[in-house]
Amino acid sequence: MPGTCVVGLQWGDEAKGKIVDLLTEAHDAVVRYQGGANAGHTVVTGGQTYKLSLIPSGILRPGVQCVITGGVVLNPPSILAEIDGLLARGIKVGRNLIISDRAHVIFPWHLEEDRLIESQTSGGEAIGTTQRGIGPCYGDKVRRNCAIRLGDMYRGGFCDTVERIAKEKNLLLAAMTGQKFVPLDGAEIHARYAKFAERLKPHVADTTTYLLDALEAGKRVLFEGAQGALLDIDHGTFPYVTSSNSSGVGISSGSGVPGKYLKKIIGVVKAYGTRVGGGPFPTEQDNALGQHLRDRGNEYGTVTRRPRRCGWFDAVAARYAARLSGVDTLAVMLLDVLDESPEIKICTAYEIDGQRETIFPSQVDSLRRAKPVYETLPGWRQDTSTVRHMAELPAAARRYLQRLSELLGSPVEIVSVGPDREQTMFAADLTSAAMSV
Ligand code: IMP
């Protein structure tokens, strides 16, 4: 009954999609359990490039069941566009994609609220959201009386609920904009969303029961985290976070699968650090070095194309994220991006108000005042993109990986040195098939 989980340990964009894609062939089902169309990944397979946002990349492999659970927030036009894009390229998208009837639905008012809240942030830094309506939709879920779940779209009363909520949201938007807005037309929104619901109907299921049955029957299930642990709503750098539990603790709540089935947690890190949007990032290099990392790592958002902030590896933050997520093993991605660096720094502690700290602070103000304390390691100044075995990596690169492993408290068992599948190394006895048991 093995469940394998892939979780990002930084601020998202750790190239988890590549690891998920590699592990998919050894699994029967791939599960997306939190977040929404704020995430995105690019998968290159058979010479074709696919950009996916909500649908697990397992959809590209015949025989793999893709599951979107109730912890996800779903924007119907955007998932339908993803489905249509895949169908147009000859990829089968039928019952091999099931979506929870418990998933909350993003409506036009969520998009509008997200845009307005971000543009009106005064006296503070904007969160820098992806403007996909994620926060407002999760907010309504917690508020309960103005939320609509996918299953509700097939019940009597759907039309009345949409019209009631649209009226309430018009009052809210009027107050937020000083009346300068185009009022939402509940009847029109209902008509449009009823059509989306009809198209999504063949995919709707009770995914919690599906997953529990599958795991009890010994099926191999891969859980794919979106964003990264430091963006977790409860445990991340609040308020500069996303609105779901994006660390390992969110796997059970998002999917309905209890911890006893989660057998292997793979923590994914980049060999350096990146962050998109607002919020403190102690090791940020807002300079030529940061630009060098951005250029070599192509650090521009998959969803929004925003340039990512780049910096050195923050082992204080990543160790916290690894412990929180219950990580068993590490995958270090984009190692080749550091190939030209004469020396490489790792942040091993913070100095906060003159005190040395190795514990990640719970308050964002403290993190903002944190000055990184670096350990400097020699670079390897060699092309690693063609290396295929860990033992053949330059000695300085192996030393760097060893240090990351010591600092994070887990072995590095996967190393990636480029976007292609072949540019991935597994520790001695680990093959992608072995990862699933
Ligand atoms: P939201 O998830 O759109 O509400 O955005 C909240 C914060 O999370 C912002 O700083 C975003 O840049 C960040 N964020 C959301 N999704 C991703 C992602 O997939 N990768 C990296 N950052 C993300």
Side-chain angles (χ1 to χ4, degrees):
M1 47 175 190
T4 310
C5 314
V6 175
V7 179
L9 299 185
Q10 292 156 312
W11 280 283
D13 307 317
E14 297 92 352
K16 298 175 290 294
K18 178 176 168 176
I19 299 297
V20 170
D21 182 45
L22 279 165
L23 299 182
T24 297
E25 65 186 340
H27 289 83
D28 302 302
V30 186
V31 182
R32 175 74 192 276
Y33 55 86
Q34 45 75 222
N38 45 353
H41 51 260
T42 307
V43 182
V44 183
T45 176
Q48 299 270 332
T49 302
Y50 298 89
K51 287 193 185 298
L52 298 168
S53 195
L54 262 174
I55 301 179
S57 57
I59 202 76
L60 304 172
R61 288 183 199 260
V64 171
Q65 180 65 51
C66 292
V67 183
I68 297 178
T69 68
V72 165
V73 286
L74 195 80
N75 185 7
S78 89
I79 192 164
L80 285 168
E82 260 185 78
I83 292 174
D84 287 342
L86 289 166
L87 290 173
R89 294 171 74 178
I91 308 290
K92 179 188 164 209
V93 191
R95 229 14 217 182
N96 55 336
L97 171 67
I98 54 171
I99 309 173
S100 174
D101 53 359
R102 294 179 171 95
H104 280 252
V105 180
I106 295 179
F107 280 87
W109 46 82
H110 295 129
L111 300 169
E112 199 53 25
E113 281 174 51
D114 202 358
R115 193 182 62 75
L116 283 171
I117 293 166
E118 279 288 291
S119 63
Q120 292 182 354
T121 304
S122 58
E125 193 183 356
I127 289 169
T129 73
T130 57
Q131 310 223 354
R132 297 295 188 274
I134 308 295
C137 184
Y138 277 115
D140 281 347
K141 163 177 165 171
V142 175
R143 209 183 122 191
R144 293 161 300 178
N145 57 359
C146 52
I148 297 176
R149 307 203 292 182
L150 187 54
D152 298 331
M153 294 171 81
Y154 305 98
R155 283 201 205 101
F158 174 45
C159 180
D160 291 347
T161 311
V162 172
E163 292 195 4
R164 171 181 62 80
I165 298 175
K167 263 191 209 138
E168 282 178 29
K169 295 290 182 180
N170 277 336
L171 295 174
L172 176 78
L173 296 173
M176 287 177 82
T177 59
Q179 307 288 346
K180 288 193 216 94
F181 78 110
V182 182
L184 299 161
D185 177 343
E188 182 278 325
I189 294 171
H190 168 260
R192 202 151 37 97
Y193 275 64
K195 286 196 192 122
F196 295 147
E198 225 24 66
R199 284 209 56 206
L200 286 171
K201 204 169 184 177
H203 303 286
V204 180
D206 173 356
T207 60
T208 306
T209 299
Y210 170 84
L211 286 173
L212 293 173
D213 286 348
L215 286 156
E216 282 165 12
K219 295 227 170 108
R220 298 156 305 168
V221 180
L222 181 63
F223 294 84
E224 164 181 0
Q227 292 88 40
L230 301 172
L231 288 173
D232 188 290
I233 181 75
D234 292 309
H235 307 285
T237 53
F238 190 87
Y240 302 99
V241 291
T242 190
S243 300
S244 61
N245 285 118
S246 52
S247 68
V249 300
I251 303 168
S252 290
S253 59
S255 65
V257 171
K260 70 173 180 176
Y261 294 111
L262 310 178
K263 291 293 167 209
K264 182 151 198 142
I265 314 240
I266 303 170
V268 186
V269 291
K270 258 181 220 186
Y272 48 97
T274 64
R275 178 164 201 168
V276 199
F281 177 17
T283 60
E284 181 170 15
Q285 300 296 307
D286 190 11
N287 51 29
L289 172 70
Q291 188 57 43
H292 171 78
L293 294 173
R294 190 173 302 118
D295 292 342
R296 279 192 61 93
N298 187 26
E299 294 294 356
Y300 296 90
T302 317
V303 173
T304 58
R305 296 308 298 160
R306 287 180 292 178
R308 295 180 186 140
R309 300 156 67 193
C310 297
W312 292 121
F313 190 90
D314 184 340
V316 179
R319 179 176 165 76
Y320 163 70
R323 294 175 73 197
L324 174 69
S325 300
V327 160
D328 299 298
T329 180
L330 296 167
V332 178
M333 312 303 285
L334 293 120
L335 184 71
D336 56 301
V337 171
L338 299 178
D339 282 355
E340 290 174 2
S341 303
E343 56 178 32
I344 297 169
K345 293 189 179 188
I346 307 177
C347 168
T348 53
Y350 299 143
E351 205 183 281
I352 305 176
D353 304 331
Q355 296 272 27
R356 203 169 231 209
E357 300 284 354
T358 51
I359 301 294
F360 191 69
S362 56
Q363 300 299 314
V364 83
D365 290 352
S366 306
L367 190 63
R368 219 185 272 292
R369 295 198 303 281
K371 294 193 186 75
V373 177
Y374 287 117
E375 195 173 288
T376 304
L377 275 75
W380 43 92
R381 303 196 91 170
Q382 240 173 289
D383 177 17
T384 57
S385 66
T386 53
V387 179
R388 295 293 173 266
H389 301 283
M390 285 199 198
E392 288 161 20
L393 282 168
R398 279 185 277 126
R399 198 166 144 204
Y400 182 63
L401 294 171
Q402 178 58 31
R403 191 66 187 121
L404 295 187
S405 164
E406 284 162 12
L407 288 163
L408 271 60
S410 294
V412 173
E413 293 185 330
I414 307 176
V415 177
S416 171
V417 288
D420 291 346
R421 284 173 161 216
E422 299 73 47
Q423 292 173 298
T424 322
M425 291 163 248
F426 292 89
D429 57 345
L430 268 177
T431 63
S432 60
M435 293 299 297
S436 71
V437 292

